[in-house]
Amino acid sequence: MTAATRSGDGVLQEWGVDPHRGLSAEEVTRRQAQFGPNAVSSHRARFFPVLWHQLRSPLLGLLLGAAIASFLVGERSDAVIIGVIVAVSVGLGFVNEYRAEKAAEALHSQIRHETVAVRDGRAVSVDVTALVPGDLVELRLGDVIPADLRLLEVTGLECDESVLTGESLPVVKDTGTVPGGTPLAELSGCALMGTVVRTGGGRGVVVSTGALTEFGKIAAGLGTHQLDTEFQVGLRRFSLLLVYVAGALTTSIFVINVVLHKPIIDALLFSLAIAVGITPQLLPAVVSTSLAAGSRRMSRRKVLVKRLVCIEDLGDVDVLFTDKTGTLTLGRIDYMRAVPAGDSDPGEVLRWGLLSTENVAQDEQDVGGNPLDQALWRSPAAAGERTALVGYHRLAVLPFDHERRMVSTLVRDASGRSTVVTKGAPESVLERCVEVPPAAREALAAEFAAGNRVVAVATRPAAAGPPVIRSEDENGLRLAGLLVFLDPPKPDAAVALGRLDTLGIAVKVVTGDNAAVAAKVCHDLGLGEGDAMTGAEVDALDDTQLGEAITGTTIFARVSPEAKARIVHAQRLSGGGVAFLGDGVNDALALHAADVGISVESATDVAKDAADVILLEKDLDVLADGVAEGRRIFANTIKYVLMGTSSNFGNMASAAGASLFLSFLPMLPSQILLNNLLYDSSQLAIPTDNVDEEQLRKPSHWDIAFIRRFMISFGPLSSVFDFVTFGVMLWVFHSGPAQFRSGWFVESLATQTLVIFAIRTRRIPFFRSHPSLPLTLAALGVVAVGALLPSTPVAHTLGFQPLPGGFFAALIGMIMAYLVLVEIGKRLFYGAAATSAPARHRYGAHRHLRRRAAYFSTAARTTPASGRP
């Protein structure tokens, strides 16, 4: 605010900045050490928060408290065993979650956001977090303002400041000063960090970075907690379900055991151990391991996700809106020819086209971000016209925006004559022209029908006066001709579209190009089913009508940024998962509106900022890999969930029931915890498991009602065989407490672990689906360890006793019978179950601000320094 009251020259003098050369490399290094990184948050993996996440369970605290009490009253061996088992369990979860956090840190560090700064007299690209106060920064259409700037030069600059002020209309910027005490929303001479260049361009000097910026102060107030995704909401709802079940079961067990005059400490430890056995302690570790492994696989396929949990949301997609250029086409645009209108000649049309660019071309590669301009300048035809451009001087520019869809320049030739040159979308340019030859319209229609991209060029003599250009000057034009470009379909795009179709994803094209061009490309790729709508037709429909029209529409052409967002929003109301793939300024609103925003590494700043997923290559085949990976992760997570709500829950319920009629505890608290630890250890291999092809063909959603029905259906099946084991131990082998506990420990561990082979697939019989080798070895290994424990030297310490050989024969029979019964249950359950997608989660009000804060994130600690030189 202080800088806004001072002139630009005064601010440059205050910060010791040369207005032409910027800061030197040595001075930048010194200021980086003084002010720190230009970041408002850190994505560094932190040791203690991850550890606290493992320790914060209230059940764990109660269990440790009861173990300490047990130690104090003399039952020291049990207390020590419980403590060791809890420590190992916490350690397992911590190691896996911390590894996942490190994977996320590495992933985030690969996503770079750069800006153009002037240093040592040269314009260079620098990471936004490397900016320091005093840096001179160039601003272009679509840039996210990288720091708080005092503006020095502007050309039609307008900024979207809604992320700070909530105002949807862009704010016009200038270089003037404002009085002291001017509100934030009226600082016209400043561009604020986190806001977006909507139109025009400019240059400014950095006056605040990091947490000292206005955006940094707001972002700091939000804390570091990320917004929950659809996936995380489902996990939390499932965990709450088990907490309620565990709470009711634990309380009743404790009360009944006390009423039956069993020792209070033993009853408390037993009931708490049951609660720990029911709660999915390693669910976060299983999920984190799955997501981290998935992110590494996707990274190798050149797909980066900003947050690991976005991978699963990507698998939830069933409609993809995508642009055409670079996705369905090669994206390598080549200039083909100039089609003159009237008495113009092709060389003249090309010359006017080269003059009407926003950025001055210093060489063939330095043209700016417009791919059509780049193609024009690097063409052999342009090389022949370069000498003809020497006598022209550009006086003013009216930059391109997505409402006008044109760029205009004011140029003066060697004779001193000034001309307005306008170039842009043919529909927009032709409606501003007078006396368009019919032959030109016919030529335009023919080029569109051939699938070529076309830009129209028009001119008019400039009016006398100062060298400025306004939108009113873009009228009364004379059409010079058309510039024709070729962007052919990708050879492998049809295969990628086929893959997406097998995944149950409907692909719809949203493009700024002409409808006829888009239709030709889609037809060539076999994406011809469905109608085409123009932006004007979309604007004429209300939201309900638009939602109905989307179903039968494949192409949306010449649509505005607001219309793109409306289309995405209308599709989301249908209840399905919606992804939007875009890389331009005009895609940002739609990227924000989608469930999953997808952009590319070469996209504009605002598009990358709005996206959840970044493709290093703009390839639909890679995107199909990401969708399949997301569904694979969700399927494997559900396997763990269903395991916890079936056999594991059944075993804990059996323990509760047995404690009512036995004169002794059916299993010691330490044995329950050891059983749970071994079982959970085997489940850590679930992220490596294979997933049946049919499970990848459509998205799956969290459905707590489905999980509850599964628990009620399959939990009692496990309890049946537990009670059979009780009968065998009591009436066949006439076991005492130690041998009884040993037998049930081995049987419960074997049944609840081996049932993964049946529950992991819907195929009947289950051996038609092949599990991964790590999962197979982990499950069989844990069962073997459990079977051998009663015969090892530590058996007495753990309260076990060797089992007779006949028990293992009975055990094999019970396991086989149990798996057969589960298969019968699967046939009945899946035949009758009709799962419905739950209501979709809506994001909170600060979603956009938090996502923008991630743009200014570093792996280093962020410590604000003094804001003065």
Side-chain angles (χ1 to χ4, degrees):
M1 290 187 180
T2 302
T5 64
R6 306 189 59 184
S7 69
D9 290 340
V11 174
L12 288 172
Q13 185 176 2
E14 177 186 0
W15 286 100
V17 183
D18 185 316
H20 303 293
R21 295 189 55 80
L23 298 176
S24 66
E26 296 78 11
E27 182 63 17
V28 168
T29 302
R30 188 188 70 80
R31 295 192 184 192
Q32 285 175 339
Q34 177 183 354
F35 296 103
N38 178 36
V40 300
S41 65
S42 171
H43 56 262
R44 183 172 57 90
R46 293 176 293 173
F47 182 93
F48 290 106
V50 176
L51 181 61
W52 172 243
H53 187 255
Q54 300 297 317
L55 296 173
R56 66 182 181 181
S57 167
L59 283 176
L60 197 62
L62 286 172
L63 183 62
L64 288 174
I68 292 171
S70 178
F71 182 87
L72 295 176
V73 298
E75 299 180 12
R76 299 188 175 184
S77 59
D78 278 354
V80 170
I81 291 170
I82 291 172
V84 169
I85 292 172
V86 168
V88 172
S89 178
V90 168
L92 269 176
F94 169 77
V95 168
N96 281 277
E97 281 209 60
Y98 189 70
R99 285 178 60 195
E101 289 286 323
K102 294 295 288 184
E105 176 186 321
L107 194 66
H108 201 129
S109 296
Q110 292 183 58
I111 302 173
R112 296 178 58 82
H113 299 284
E114 296 187 335
T115 189
V116 177
V118 178
R119 291 177 176 175
D120 288 319
R122 296 176 58 249
V124 294
S125 291
V126 299
D127 194 285
V128 294
T129 61
L131 286 178
V132 296
D135 260 326
L136 294 180
V137 176
E138 302 283 352
L139 301 178
R140 298 176 181 176
L141 179 67
D143 284 355
V144 174
I145 307 297
D148 281 355
L149 309 178
R150 177 64 173 93
L151 293 171
L152 306 174
E153 303 172 12
V154 297
T155 304
L157 181 63
E158 296 183 13
C159 293
D160 178 354
E161 297 184 346
S162 58
V163 72
L164 294 179
T165 65
E167 293 294 330
S168 58
L169 294 177
V171 178
V172 177
K173 296 295 182 179
D174 55 41
T175 58
T177 60
V178 297
T182 300
L184 181 70
E186 298 175 16
L187 299 182
S188 59
C190 290
L192 305 175
M193 174 192 261
T195 62
V196 178
V197 178
R198 282 289 296 271
T199 59
R203 174 185 283 199
V205 59
V206 176
V207 295
S208 292
T209 58
L212 296 177
T213 63
E214 296 301 319
F215 178 83
K217 296 170 187 175
I218 296 174
L222 291 176
T224 58
H225 174 67
Q226 292 287 342
L227 293 172
D228 286 343
T229 67
E230 204 66 65
F231 184 56
Q232 291 170 306
V233 170
L235 281 176
R236 187 170 64 247
R237 292 178 63 201
F238 166 69
S239 298
L240 284 174
L241 170 67
L242 287 194
V243 165
Y244 294 144
V245 172
L249 196 57
T250 302
T251 304
S252 59
I253 291 171
F254 177 70
V255 171
I256 292 172
N257 276 273
V258 170
V259 170
L260 294 175
H261 305 292
K262 294 179 181 177
I264 291 180
I265 291 293
D266 287 351
L268 180 60
L269 283 171
F270 179 73
S271 57
L272 288 174
I274 291 289
V276 171
I278 291 176
T279 53
Q281 282 180 287
L282 290 188
L283 179 59
V286 169
V287 172
S288 298
T289 303
S290 293
L291 294 173
S295 72
R296 287 190 291 270
R297 281 190 292 269
M298 292 176 68
S299 181
R300 287 194 292 268
R301 294 303 307 270
K302 300 186 178 181
V303 180
L304 302 181
V305 288
K306 289 186 177 178
R307 295 177 61 199
L308 292 181
V309 289
C310 293
I311 298 174
E312 196 284 329
D313 280 348
L314 185 59
D316 201 24
V317 166
D318 51 21
V319 176
L320 169 66
F321 292 100
T322 179
D323 62 357
K324 174 178 64 66
T325 305
T327 307
L328 302 181
T329 64
L330 285 173
R332 190 182 66 244
I333 301 173
D334 294 318
Y335 169 70
M336 294 176 63
R337 58 181 172 272
V339 179
D343 56 359
S344 300
D345 61 73
E348 182 184 3
V349 177
L350 176 58
R351 185 163 59 253
W352 289 129
L354 292 169
L355 287 169
S356 54
T357 57
E358 290 187 46
N359 303 302
V360 177
Q362 298 172 357
D363 55 55
E364 291 187 10
Q365 303 301 321
D366 186 12
V367 188
N370 188 325
L372 292 174
D373 280 347
Q374 290 177 351
L376 192 63
W377 276 95
R378 68 169 178 258
S379 67
E385 289 291 331
R386 285 180 178 275
T387 55
L389 301 179
V390 174
Y392 286 89
H393 297 280
R394 190 172 63 170
L395 305 178
V397 179
L398 184 59
F400 177 91
D401 65 54
H402 294 281
E403 294 178 2
R404 292 166 34 252
R405 293 185 295 169
M406 297 182 298
V407 58
S408 293
T409 57
L410 178 63
V411 298
R412 178 182 297 151
D413 61 19
S415 65
R417 183 174 54 192
S418 297
T419 305
V420 174
V421 187
T422 297
K423 182 176 68 180
E427 297 92 335
S428 299
V429 174
L430 263 61
E431 71 180 13
R432 289 167 170 78
C433 290
V434 295
E435 299 180 357
V436 177
R441 295 188 185 275
E442 293 172 3
L444 176 62
E447 297 293 352
F448 280 157
N452 296 325
R453 300 189 66 175
V454 185
V455 171
V457 182
T459 64
R460 55 162 288 186
V468 295
I469 185 169
R470 297 174 296 270
S471 58
E472 306 90 74
D473 298 321
E474 296 175 324
N475 288 295
L477 302 171
R478 181 188 67 84
L479 182 65
L482 308 173
L483 299 174
V484 182
F485 300 84
L486 176 65
D487 186 15
K490 280 186 176 180
D492 57 352
V495 176
L497 288 170
R499 280 195 65 196
L500 291 171
D501 184 60
T502 61
L503 292 171
I505 298 176
V507 178
K508 299 180 183 293
V509 178
V510 182
T511 178
D513 212 338
N514 180 271
V517 175
K520 176 66 165 60
V521 172
C522 291
H523 180 269
D524 291 346
L525 295 174
L527 194 64
E529 297 181 6
D531 299 328
M533 290 184 68
T534 64
E537 292 170 332
V538 170
D539 294 340
L541 302 177
D542 60 31
D543 288 347
T544 303
Q545 293 170 327
L546 179 58
E548 295 171 352
I550 288 174
T551 304
T553 305
T554 301
I555 299 167
F556 298 88
R558 298 297 196 202
V559 288
S560 67
E562 292 77 13
K564 290 183 180 182
R566 276 193 67 213
I567 292 167
V568 171
H569 177 71
Q571 180 61 40
R572 283 195 71 196
L573 293 178
S574 70
V578 179
F580 186 91
L581 193 162
D583 58 3
V585 182
N586 57 332
D587 295 321
L589 291 176
L591 286 166
H592 275 302
D595 293 302
V596 181
I598 307 167
S599 195
V600 294
E601 179 63 17
S602 58
T604 58
D605 284 351
V606 69
K608 286 198 291 185
D609 164 63
D612 303 297
V613 178
I614 304 293
L615 305 181
L616 299 185
E617 288 185 0
K618 201 171 182 183
D619 189 343
L620 287 181
D621 203 41
V622 171
L623 183 58
D625 289 337
V627 171
E629 188 63 37
R631 293 181 184 178
R632 196 187 70 81
I633 289 171
F634 184 83
N636 282 337
T637 302
I638 287 295
K639 291 173 188 177
Y640 181 85
V641 168
L642 297 183
M643 287 285 289
T645 55
S646 55
S647 61
N648 190 32
F649 171 73
N651 285 342
M652 295 303 103
S654 300
S659 68
L660 302 181
F661 65 84
L662 292 174
S663 59
F664 54 87
L665 292 177
M667 202 182 289
L668 296 176
S670 58
Q671 292 170 343
I672 292 176
L673 293 175
L674 178 60
N675 183 297
N676 188 57
L677 175 63
L678 290 172
Y679 161 76
D680 273 344
S681 300
S682 72
Q683 305 307 293
L684 283 174
I686 284 180
T688 70
D689 194 23
N690 304 320
V691 176
D692 297 338
E693 189 67 29
E694 56 268 25
Q695 286 186 267
L696 300 178
R697 290 178 187 157
K698 60 181 181 179
S700 300
H701 310 277
W702 281 100
D703 190 344
I704 299 302
F706 171 81
I707 295 171
R708 190 184 301 115
R709 290 196 303 272
F710 195 93
M711 176 192 295
I712 295 171
S713 300
F714 289 90
L717 294 182
S718 175
S719 295
V720 167
F721 287 90
D722 289 332
F723 282 97
V724 170
T725 303
F726 298 161
V728 169
M729 299 306 296
L730 291 174
W731 300 321
V732 176
F733 298 110
H734 307 289
S735 301
Q739 193 177 72
F740 178 94
R741 292 164 180 157
S742 302
W744 187 45
F745 178 90
V746 173
E747 182 272 339
S748 65
L749 182 61
T751 53
Q752 73 175 348
T753 301
L754 294 178
V755 78
I756 181 62
F757 297 118
I759 287 178
R760 60 172 293 278
T761 177
R762 294 191 180 192
R763 293 179 182 176
I764 301 172
F766 65 83
F767 49 77
R768 291 175 53 227
S769 173
H770 302 293
S772 69
L773 181 61
L775 179 62
T776 303
L777 294 177
L780 296 179
V782 163
V783 172
V785 169
L788 293 174
L789 265 179
S791 303
T792 61
V794 298
H796 179 71
T797 303
L798 294 172
F800 292 132
Q801 183 177 319
L803 294 164
F807 167 80
F808 292 101
L811 176 64
I812 293 173
M814 285 188 291
I815 290 174
M816 293 179 65
Y818 177 44
L819 293 178
V820 169
L821 195 59
V822 168
E823 290 295 281
I824 295 172
K826 278 167 54 179
R827 183 177 294 277
L828 296 174
F829 180 81
Y830 289 121
T835 59
S836 57
R840 298 188 67 79
H841 171 61
R842 298 299 175 190
Y843 294 105
H846 295 302
R847 182 191 187 209
H848 292 180
L849 200 151
R850 290 180 189 272
R851 290 169 78 173
R852 185 66 48 80
Y855 186 93
F856 304 100
S857 175
T858 177
R861 288 185 173 88
T862 57
T863 52
S866 167
R868 310 311 305 158

